[in-house]
Amino acid sequence: MSKLNIVILAAGKGTRMQSDLPKVLHEIGSKPILEHVIDCAKSLNPHKIIVVYGYGGEKVKEAFVNEPIVWVNQAEQLGTGHAVQQAIPHLDDDANTLILLGDVPLVDKLACKELITFATKQLVIQSFNKLDPTGYGRIIRAPSGEVIAIIEHKDATESQRKIVEVNTGIMAMPNEYLKKWITQITNNNAQGEYYLTDVVALAVAQGIPVIAKITSDEWSVTGINSKNDLVQMERVLQNKIANQLLQQGVTLKDANRIDVRGELKCGRDVEIDVNCVFEGNVTIGDAVKIASHCVIKNATIAAGSKIAPFTHIDDTLIGENNRIGPFARLRPGTVLQSDAHVGNFVELKNAQVDVGSKINHLSYVGDATIGKQVNIGAGTITCNYDGANKFRTVIEDGAFIGSDTQLVAPVTVGKNATIAAGSTITRDAPAGALTLCRAREQKSITGWKRPEKIK
Ligand code: UD1
Ligand code: CA
């Protein structure tokens, strides 16, 4: 393979987004549009990636500080040819260049590979047969079928406007030619712009072959110009991801009602019900069932675990065969070993829960180490925060915490200890014993009258 340079054009303002954010920083699948393009570019192993930026430039650069990118400023947007001209000093003499557009997020890696392979001695453009070609550059072919020019819509004659084969803007060619052609492009046209597309006529005039590779995948060449385009593209991306999951054998109750905003890896026989959102890196093991309306972010859920509806999981490790939810909230730092139950309205934060323990109802367990086979009664709270610092609660194997207990950390409940319901535990509770701490023991007052409403 010969050396590859990739130039991504991203200087357009994106007025129709009606936003202060530069167009290419708007997101699909929770990832900036431009990042999708950069990821595709990186996957092609280029020698260099050059991004031509303009409007909102600093913000765009800041969003990609860790990427190996050569940034080139196009202060005035004088056309695609002018944009590429800004990148010329960075192009390697002995390389080929692939031009990509920064606002086309679903650009297809395989199609790019094809263009690159053909671009060693000629100009290759990617075209598309568009139902309504209005606004696009038309591919002009000689009667023999050879590509002889691209004519922009505004410069086209009535009969040329009837051509439905359009330029996608994606093309590849040897730098040896590009560097020469770019100096020969003028702005003598309807828009007074320097058209990159003029390279086609220049190539033909100089006897360099030009070929157009027609793609049938419209979304892979569709740019985003408005919020309508953005929301449509989001669905296209989500459908693509849903189809990949289905092909891998994941059962989706409705392929149109899943959102994956990151990487979702699934084992065999995973079932996902409607309206679940997956963010960041999520790994799901074999036979895991995820019920409807769950939000799961940066988590691992091991084989056989079942997540009931409306559960939120963030930065959590869930072992095998756990039962979580409905309405549970697992916050960062939480680790569940296997066979635990976490029920409704239970919040866990930085809590490590060992095998077979149960926290079934209405509890807050934060900064806590819970042993094996522990039972935590309804309404139990670990008081982990004194207003300034946080402390840990340790509950050892086999302990039973009665309902409505407050465990004021730092505190340890020993192995097989029992805490009576309604206790406020401020000191360590010894192993094996019953510990209780109530304001006063129960008594009954006979003849007591309920208060009456004041007239
Ligand atoms: C361009 C093509 C047209 C093609 C269409 C596909 C030219 C002259 N025309 O149209 O044949 O059908 O794309 O969408 O190339 N950009 C810059 N600097 C500029 C101008 C544009 O960086 O000065 C970038 C934009 O950010 C965008 C891309 O180039 O990513 C295409 O620009 P856009 O204005 O959308 O396309 P057209 O020039 O109308
Ligand atoms: Ca334009």
Side-chain angles (χ1 to χ4, degrees):
M1 276 293 268
S2 41
K3 221 163 156 185
L4 176 66
N5 294 160
I6 296 179
V7 175
I8 302 175
L9 304 184
K13 185 162 182 199
T15 316
R16 279 185 282 157
M17 293 301 275
Q18 304 288 0
S19 167
D20 292 336
L21 193 67
K23 173 165 92 171
V24 292
L25 292 187
H26 287 267
E27 297 180 340
I28 69 161
S30 270
K31 194 160 94 171
I33 297 168
L34 180 57
E35 192 175 334
H36 288 269
V37 184
I38 290 172
D39 284 351
C40 174
K42 285 200 294 192
S43 77
L44 299 165
N45 297 316
H47 193 67
K48 244 182 225 171
I49 300 175
I50 299 149
V51 177
V52 182
Y53 70 97
Y55 177 77
E58 295 313 309
K59 270 195 213 164
V60 178
K61 276 166 82 171
E62 273 164 29
F64 299 98
V65 278
N66 296 320
E67 299 286 358
I69 287 171
V70 179
W71 294 95
V72 172
N73 188 12
Q74 186 195 20
E76 262 187 299
Q77 276 86 66
L78 302 179
T80 49
H82 181 257
V84 171
Q85 199 171 28
Q86 312 310 303
I88 293 286
H90 300 282
L91 299 183
D92 302 305
D93 287 331
D94 56 344
N96 303 320
T97 285
L98 171 70
I99 312 270
L100 298 177
L101 308 183
D103 59 0
V104 177
L106 298 189
V107 53
D108 183 53
K109 178 182 165 180
L110 292 178
C112 289
K113 274 196 166 156
E114 198 191 6
L115 293 195
I116 295 162
T117 356
F118 281 96
T120 49
K121 292 235 158 10
Q122 56 193 346
L123 169 60
V124 195
I125 56 183
Q126 194 180 32
S127 66
F128 177 70
N129 288 318
K130 188 124 178 73
L131 216 54
D132 175 10
T134 311
Y136 286 81
R138 306 300 204 281
I139 308 293
I140 312 294
R141 290 179 184 263
S144 56
E146 283 147 47
V147 177
I148 51 172
I150 295 176
I151 304 289
E152 289 306 300
H153 182 88
K154 286 187 177 146
D155 299 290
T157 62
E158 274 311 308
S159 67
Q160 286 172 332
R161 286 185 182 181
K162 293 204 174 77
I163 297 170
V164 295
E165 190 185 354
V166 301
N167 172 33
T168 63
I170 299 168
M171 56 177 81
M173 70 209 86
N175 288 350
E176 182 197 341
Y177 302 149
L178 177 59
K179 288 192 171 191
K180 190 167 66 178
W181 293 333
I182 211 79
T183 62
Q184 297 167 7
I185 292 173
T186 67
N187 63 351
N188 188 11
N189 53 51
Q191 303 186 80
E193 279 182 16
Y194 294 89
Y195 292 164
L196 177 62
T197 45
D198 284 357
V199 294
V200 175
L202 288 167
V204 171
Q206 292 161 25
I208 310 296
V210 181
I211 52 170
K213 290 271 159 200
I214 308 178
T215 177
S216 56
D217 179 1
E218 179 162 13
W219 296 114
S220 73
V221 296
T222 298
I224 291 175
N225 291 304
S226 65
K227 288 291 171 73
N228 299 68
D229 293 345
L230 192 71
V231 70
Q232 209 175 10
M233 196 63 86
E234 178 74 36
R235 272 303 102 204
V236 172
L237 174 67
Q238 293 304 337
N239 281 333
K240 256 179 112 160
I241 297 170
N243 278 324
Q244 283 162 5
L245 292 171
L246 292 169
Q247 268 158 35
Q248 290 159 19
V250 176
T251 298
L252 302 177
K253 293 297 179 185
D254 183 351
N256 294 315
R257 282 186 288 167
I258 176 170
D259 287 85
V260 180
R261 302 172 185 162
E263 294 281 329
L264 173 60
K265 289 201 200 92
C266 291
R268 289 179 81 78
D269 297 304
V270 167
E271 273 186 43
I272 301 173
D273 208 336
V274 300
N275 294 337
C276 290
V277 179
F278 298 90
E279 297 173 37
N281 289 308
V282 177
T283 304
I284 295 178
D286 295 347
V288 166
K289 282 192 166 63
I290 302 192
S292 65
H293 304 281
C294 291
V295 178
I296 301 176
K297 181 178 176 184
N298 295 327
T300 297
I301 304 174
S305 283
K306 296 195 173 29
I307 316 295
F310 293 97
T311 292
H312 287 210
I313 297 173
D314 183 3
D315 210 343
T316 288
L317 280 172
I318 297 174
E320 293 184 1
N321 299 315
N322 289 287
R323 271 177 30 202
I324 323 277
F327 299 101
R329 181 169 181 215
L330 276 53
R331 293 175 49 202
T334 295
V335 178
L336 302 184
Q337 299 298 326
S338 56
D339 302 290
H341 294 182
V342 176
N344 40 222
F345 309 107
V346 171
E347 176 180 351
L348 302 184
K349 191 220 69 176
N350 189 19
Q352 290 80 53
V353 181
D354 213 330
V355 178
S357 289
K358 293 176 184 166
I359 314 168
N360 271 331
H361 327 269
L362 298 157
S363 288
Y364 171 67
V365 176
D367 301 316
T369 306
I370 313 294
K372 297 182 176 68
Q373 306 294 337
V374 167
N375 192 311
I376 296 187
T380 295
I381 308 286
T382 56
C383 309
N384 60 329
Y385 184 51
D386 64 5
N389 297 295
K390 291 191 174 152
F391 301 95
R392 288 195 74 81
T393 299
V394 177
I395 303 176
E396 292 177 354
D397 296 351
F400 181 100
I401 313 295
S403 295
D404 193 24
T405 292
Q406 297 91 50
L407 298 157
V408 182
V411 70
T412 297
V413 177
K415 201 170 169 183
N416 294 322
T418 301
I419 306 293
S423 297
T424 300
I425 302 297
T426 55
R427 281 172 284 135
D428 290 355
L434 168 69
T435 298
L436 73 165
C437 172
R438 293 170 177 162
R440 49 183 118 79
E441 278 306 296
Q442 180 170 336
K443 62 181 176 183
S444 300
I445 301 166
T446 47
W448 179 81
K449 283 208 172 62
R450 288 186 180 176
E452 282 177 6
K453 200 168 174 82
I454 300 160
K455 291 196 176 117

